[in-house]
Amino acid sequence: MTQFIKRSDVAHDHEPIDLVFGPVNSRRFGRSFGISMSYPGVRSCQWSCPYCQLGHWPQSKAGEWASLDALDEALARSHPGDAEVICCSGSGENLDHPDIVPALRKMDAFAKRFKRPLVILTNGDALKDAELRDCIDDLGIRIYVKWDCGVRDGAWRSMTGEERKLRLAMFAGIKQLRLQSMFIYREENDRQFSELAQRWLDQVSQMNVLEIQMYTIDRPCGGKHICYPVPEAELYYWRDLADRRLNIPVRVYASMD
C-alpha cells in the first residue's frame, strides 16, 4: 500500500529518519521530497562542512549504505505528496554509494512516475567516475555541486594538487553542472570575507556552469563548529558581481522567509 510520508516523519526539519523523507520546505526548490542512500544516525560523507545540520552525527567515511533492495522497498511505499522536486540528498554523500548508478536509475523512474524533476545535491567527489557522469547526462538530471566560499578549492576536505586539478577537470565534462555555494562568516563581522568572496568569484569564473545558487545558513550548525550567516545585502552584492562577470543565472536564497 502506498505510504504518504508526512511532515512529522522528518526529525528537526531536514534531518531524515528514513531512506525517504518529506516533503520538506526548501529555500531553493520549494517543497522537496528527499531520497537518501545511507541510513540516518551516521553521516556517510568524507567532508566536514562546519555548517552541516548533521554535524552532531558520528562520521563514517566507509558509508552506512542501504541496499538497492531497501531503496526499492522505500520507493514502493512512498508518494511525493505536494513536493515540487525529488531530491537525491540525505544522511551523507549519496554519490559515494557503491551502487549509485543503478540507484539513480531507480530514483529517476520514481520521479518520472510522479512527473517530478530529479535533482542531485553533492560535494562532487564521486564525479571522477565516468560511468556516473554518463548516467547523469543520459538521464538529464540536474546536479548541484558544492563550491563554497571561504574554503580552498570550494571543498571542506584537504586535497593534493593533483586532486584539485582532477576536481576541475571532471566538472568540465558535466553537461548539467550547476553550483551550490554556501557563504558563511567564520566569526562575527568576518574581516577576511571580502578577500575570500573575491577568490570564490575568480574560481567559479573558470568553470562552465549553467547556474549558481548562493545562500547562507538559516539554522544552527549541527556540530562543534561555530559559523554565522552572511548579511543578505552582502550576498546580493556578490551576486551582482557574479551576474555581470559570468552571464549566467546567479540566484540568492537568503532565508525561508
Side-chain angles (χ1 to χ4, degrees):
M1 183 175 67
T2 299
Q3 177 184 359
F4 286 79
I5 307 299
K6 300 178 186 140
R7 188 72 174 82
S8 58
D9 290 328
V10 183
H12 306 298
D13 195 15
H14 286 238
E15 286 188 23
I17 62 172
D18 199 350
L19 297 181
V20 293
F21 58 100
V24 298
N25 292 322
S26 167
R27 285 181 290 179
R28 296 182 283 159
F29 304 113
R31 297 283 285 168
S32 172
F33 182 85
I35 303 176
S36 176
M37 286 306 298
S38 58
Y39 290 102
V42 175
R43 191 162 37 98
S44 300
C45 183
Q46 298 184 51
W47 287 26
S48 296
C49 303
Y51 51 81
C52 180
Q53 71 266 23
L54 305 181
H56 57 290
W57 288 3
Q59 187 177 38
S60 172
K61 294 187 178 181
E64 300 291 328
W65 303 119
S67 67
L68 293 177
D69 286 343
L71 175 63
D72 282 336
E73 189 277 332
L75 295 179
R77 62 178 167 82
S78 299
H79 189 289
D82 66 350
E84 298 166 66
V85 300
I86 309 299
C87 188
C88 175
S89 175
S91 305
E93 175 50 53
N94 275 350
L95 297 195
D96 286 343
H97 192 286
D99 292 317
I100 190 57
V101 169
L104 283 178
R105 296 192 184 280
K106 292 175 184 293
M107 295 181 205
D108 182 67
F110 177 82
K112 285 182 168 62
R113 175 186 170 196
F114 293 104
K115 297 181 173 58
R116 307 290 203 282
L118 176 63
V119 302
I120 297 172
L121 307 183
T122 179
N123 62 32
D125 281 359
L127 295 172
K128 59 182 176 289
D129 186 315
E131 183 185 8
L132 174 58
R133 295 196 305 271
D134 289 343
C135 173
I136 292 169
D137 283 343
D138 289 345
L139 297 176
I141 303 172
R142 280 188 287 160
I143 181 166
Y144 293 85
V145 177
K146 294 295 294 177
W147 195 284
D148 282 347
C149 173
V151 59
R152 188 175 184 181
D153 305 299
W156 294 102
R157 72 172 182 87
S158 60
M159 287 188 288
T160 65
E162 191 60 32
E163 283 182 302
R164 288 193 287 273
K165 292 178 184 177
L166 177 61
R167 182 168 162 80
L168 282 173
M170 66 186 180
F171 289 173
I174 300 171
K175 298 175 184 176
Q176 295 291 325
L177 181 64
R178 294 162 169 84
L179 297 184
Q180 46 177 340
S181 295
M182 175 70 82
F183 282 61
I184 58 171
Y185 282 171
R186 299 306 299 270
E187 57 185 26
E188 291 187 274
N189 302 314
D190 193 339
R191 295 180 180 179
Q192 292 186 310
F193 178 78
S194 292
E195 177 184 344
L196 296 173
Q198 184 61 56
R199 185 185 305 166
W200 169 86
L201 181 57
D202 292 341
Q203 290 172 334
V204 300
S205 298
Q206 301 173 41
M207 303 179 200
N208 183 25
V209 299
L210 300 178
E211 174 193 357
I212 297 176
Q213 295 184 339
M214 297 171 55
Y215 52 109
T216 191
I217 54 174
D218 71 338
R219 52 183 176 258
C221 299
K224 61 184 179 180
H225 302 285
I226 297 175
C227 47
Y228 302 89
V230 172
E232 188 170 325
E234 185 95 62
L235 283 178
Y236 278 102
Y237 171 77
W238 288 100
R239 189 283 308 270
D240 291 345
L241 289 180
D243 191 56
R244 290 196 294 269
R245 184 165 172 179
L246 304 176
N247 195 31
I248 60 171
V250 182
R251 299 182 172 93
V252 166
Y253 301 87
S255 71
M256 289 293 294
D257 298 332

